[in-house]
Amino acid sequence: MPTDRNDALFPSFDRRLELTTRLDERLNAVLSEIAAGPVSPTLDIPRFRRQLAAIDFATPQDIESVSDWLIENMRVGQVHMTHPRYFGLFNPAPTFPSEYADRISAAYNPQICVWSHAPAAVEVEAHVIRQLASRLGLPEASGGHFTSGGSEANHTAVICALTRALPDFTRLGARAFTGQPRVYASKESHLAWLKIAHESGIGRDAIVLIDTDGAGRMNANALQDALEADVDTGNCPVMIAATAGTTNAGMIDPLRECAELAREFRVWLHVDAAWGGALAASERLRTELDGIGRADSVTIDAHKWFAATMGTGMFLTAHPPVLADAFHVSTSYMPSNDQSVDLYVNSMQWSRRFIGVRLFLALATVGWDGFAEHVERGVALIDRLNASMLGAGWRVANDARTAVSCLVPPVGARDVASIVATLVESNNHWVSMTRFEDEPVIRACITNGRTTENDVDSLSAALVHAAKS
Ligand SMILES: *Cc1c(COP(=O)(O)O)cnc(C)c1O
């Protein structure tokens, strides 16, 4: 019955309210129980696949039963970011304001690629970007935009650096360069750089992975040597990509030295602060980012330490006009083509979701101070974890102020892989295994504002126990 189906897609406003209220009740009931349950999936995969296959889109079902099915299968079918003992990757339990903002954004569904279609939303995003740029100490005229994540922001940085290095890059691509364009990042950097080089058409050989200093930070002397060697051999240095908060260990590269070398070799300085950028909120901890204000561009992922819902990255730059140089295009069907405000001529995306509202609503609700508390809390909890592990004879391999701990069990203990496997299998904590400075370590990170000292103490006890058994 076509009318019924149209009603299902576009219900009356009374029906809409009934459904959203019901959904809120269900989600609240499920979410409030997550902490008492397992962190990792317990899904019966064959059964799930059979049920999924039966949803063949031939027979319509009511939205209540399909969404109840989905909520239940997601409850048992994922690693829970919202679990207070998920000491995981940089994926956060989302802040409530960011989740709330998603609903506002989805309800209006503005098209924000053109200012004139959604001036309110476009200006809210631009406001957040400007406030953040100023907080980082970037120059007054800085700008930028929201991205799908850190990878898109880092990709944007490479395109900007190439375009600025050689205006002919716009027309000729990599052929514009007389030698291999080069981008320098540390061995501990996020290796999406390799994909980005490939995607940018400069090839994976463009990425030079610089040695670290033994403590997880880019070695500035090795960087200088690499730049000099490339100049001598006819390669074309284009960009230094310093990391502020490495994915493995939360380490921050020497930003001042990188800025000096960028100036000396006339290359673009990008700071990938996908995780660490949130330190800017804290008066006490922002000094960790000293030098970031000298960057040509910065990546910050609001879906990491700012705990926005997934898919909230940011690209900030001291040279907004380069964005239009790189991304301009004109078509007859777009309502306008204003390079100062229209995002489709300033960024990689065309149609865009209003994602900046997630960070806007959260910042407006708790202020910089609220996020200062959030990051300081994470750092304090990791300090507590480190102290108890040191007390138990373990070693902390990384010296970070970014709520990430890389732990090494004492001599004679079980190996790192077995300890992590025991923890993850017991399904009461989630930690990961990684390598830091060529050594296997157990990595724990705090992203969840509901994680307590009790949760951290429970993790230390579980680690100590798993190391022995
Ligand atoms: C997470 C991360 C990225 C990639 O960001 P996505 O949002 O996953 O695309 C890049 N750099 C660093 C340092 C990261 O931690």
Side-chain angles (χ1 to χ4, degrees):
M1 257 163 282
T3 318
D4 283 356
R5 287 179 199 163
N6 199 52
D7 283 350
L9 291 177
F10 304 99
S12 74
F13 290 99
D14 285 345
R15 171 81 174 129
R16 190 180 183 283
L17 184 59
E18 185 189 321
L19 287 169
T20 50
T21 307
R22 182 181 184 279
L23 177 64
D24 277 337
E25 284 167 5
R26 305 264 146 153
L27 283 177
N28 235 40
V30 170
L31 288 174
S32 61
E33 293 295 320
I34 295 279
V39 194
S40 295
T42 54
L43 183 67
D44 176 345
I45 300 272
R47 183 163 159 271
F48 171 75
R49 286 189 179 146
R50 276 195 307 277
Q51 293 178 355
L52 182 60
I55 304 176
D56 61 1
F57 310 138
T59 327
Q61 304 179 37
D62 60 86
I63 193 167
E64 290 99 323
S65 52
V66 189
S67 45
D68 285 352
W69 178 84
L70 195 57
I71 290 169
E72 174 52 19
N73 281 287
M74 287 182 75
R75 186 182 73 79
V76 293
Q78 68 166 77
V79 176
H80 283 296
M81 265 86 265
T82 65
H83 198 296
R85 289 185 300 284
Y86 171 71
F87 297 97
L89 307 176
F90 290 150
N91 312 306
T95 65
F96 181 69
S98 75
E99 202 188 324
Y100 207 61
D102 263 342
R103 296 182 52 168
I104 300 174
S105 166
Y108 284 108
N109 199 32
Q111 167 59 285
I112 71 160
C113 72
V114 172
W115 178 88
S116 61
H117 251 50
V122 171
E123 298 210 0
V124 163
E125 284 201 347
H127 174 70
V128 177
I129 294 287
R130 278 195 306 270
Q131 292 285 323
L132 205 55
S134 137
R135 191 88 194 166
L136 292 174
L138 290 168
E140 180 98 48
S142 296
H145 52 262
F146 280 84
T147 62
S148 58
S151 299
E152 183 194 330
N154 285 348
H155 190 171
T156 302
V158 169
I159 302 287
C160 286
L162 289 163
T163 305
R164 236 229 335 200
L166 219 49
D168 254 359
F169 175 75
T170 308
R171 220 165 38 88
L172 301 174
R175 277 188 303 137
F177 289 86
T178 53
Q180 168 72 61
R182 294 281 231 176
V183 171
Y184 309 82
S186 94
K187 288 203 156 104
E188 288 276 321
S189 68
H190 192 284
L191 293 185
W193 290 118
L194 296 167
K195 287 167 58 169
I196 289 167
H198 189 160
E199 290 157 5
S200 305
I202 54 176
R204 292 175 182 234
D205 282 357
I207 304 299
V208 187
L209 293 179
I210 305 295
D211 277 339
T212 46
D213 62 356
R217 292 176 296 244
M218 175 137 56
N219 179 333
N221 292 331
L223 173 61
Q224 177 162 5
D225 292 347
L227 284 158
E228 279 166 2
D230 272 341
V231 170
D232 287 348
T233 53
N235 289 329
C236 305
V238 167
M239 179 172 118
I240 297 170
T243 307
T246 57
T247 315
N248 269 345
M251 299 306 299
I252 297 175
D253 286 342
L255 303 181
R256 290 192 175 284
E257 281 96 326
C258 289
E260 275 311 305
L261 289 168
R263 196 182 47 81
E264 187 182 333
F265 287 85
R266 303 225 232 117
V267 298
W268 185 279
L269 174 65
H270 179 71
V271 178
D272 178 0
W275 169 253
L279 288 174
S282 162
E283 292 301 335
R284 187 156 61 77
L285 295 171
R286 65 197 286 183
T287 51
E288 301 283 323
L289 298 174
D290 265 356
I292 200 168
R294 290 176 63 183
D296 296 294
S297 59
V298 176
T299 288
I300 300 179
D301 257 345
H303 67 214
K304 287 186 173 165
W305 218 355
F306 279 113
T309 51
M310 290 306 254
T312 318
M314 285 178 279
F315 177 76
L316 303 139
T317 178
H319 321 285
V322 182
L323 287 167
D325 293 343
F327 299 110
H328 70 274
V329 66
S330 75
T331 63
S332 57
Y333 54 82
M334 294 301 280
S336 68
N337 189 298
D338 182 340
Q339 300 191 344
S340 63
V341 289
D342 287 342
L343 283 161
Y344 81 102
V345 286
N346 271 299
S347 68
M348 294 179 63
Q349 297 179 29
W350 200 287
S351 292
R352 276 182 169 269
R353 183 182 164 100
F354 181 26
I355 57 174
V357 64
R358 300 163 178 167
L359 184 55
F360 170 77
L361 199 60
L363 273 171
T365 304
V366 300
W368 293 114
D369 286 350
F371 277 102
E373 260 174 48
H374 173 67
V375 297
E376 286 169 12
R377 197 171 172 283
V379 171
L381 286 172
I382 282 293
D383 285 348
R384 181 181 180 93
L385 172 68
N386 286 346
S388 51
M389 298 320 289
L390 289 169
W394 289 48
R395 193 155 54 76
V396 179
N398 65 330
D399 177 18
R401 307 297 299 151
T402 49
V404 184
S405 178
C406 293
L407 297 165
V408 184
V411 180
R414 288 167 79 221
D415 63 289
V416 160
S418 317
I419 296 172
V420 169
T422 300
L423 252 77
V424 172
E425 275 159 31
S426 71
N427 221 345
N428 192 32
H429 304 87
W430 198 96
V431 291
S432 57
M433 180 174 94
T434 186
R435 292 186 78 80
F436 177 71
E437 294 289 355
D438 294 327
E439 173 180 43
V441 296
I442 295 169
R443 179 188 181 284
C445 171
I446 308 246
T447 50
N448 188 337
R450 290 195 180 88
T451 299
T452 62
E453 293 185 345
N454 280 342
D455 294 316
V456 166
D457 295 347
S458 144
L459 174 62
S460 350
L463 285 169
V464 169
H465 184 72
K468 288 180 187 145
S469 53

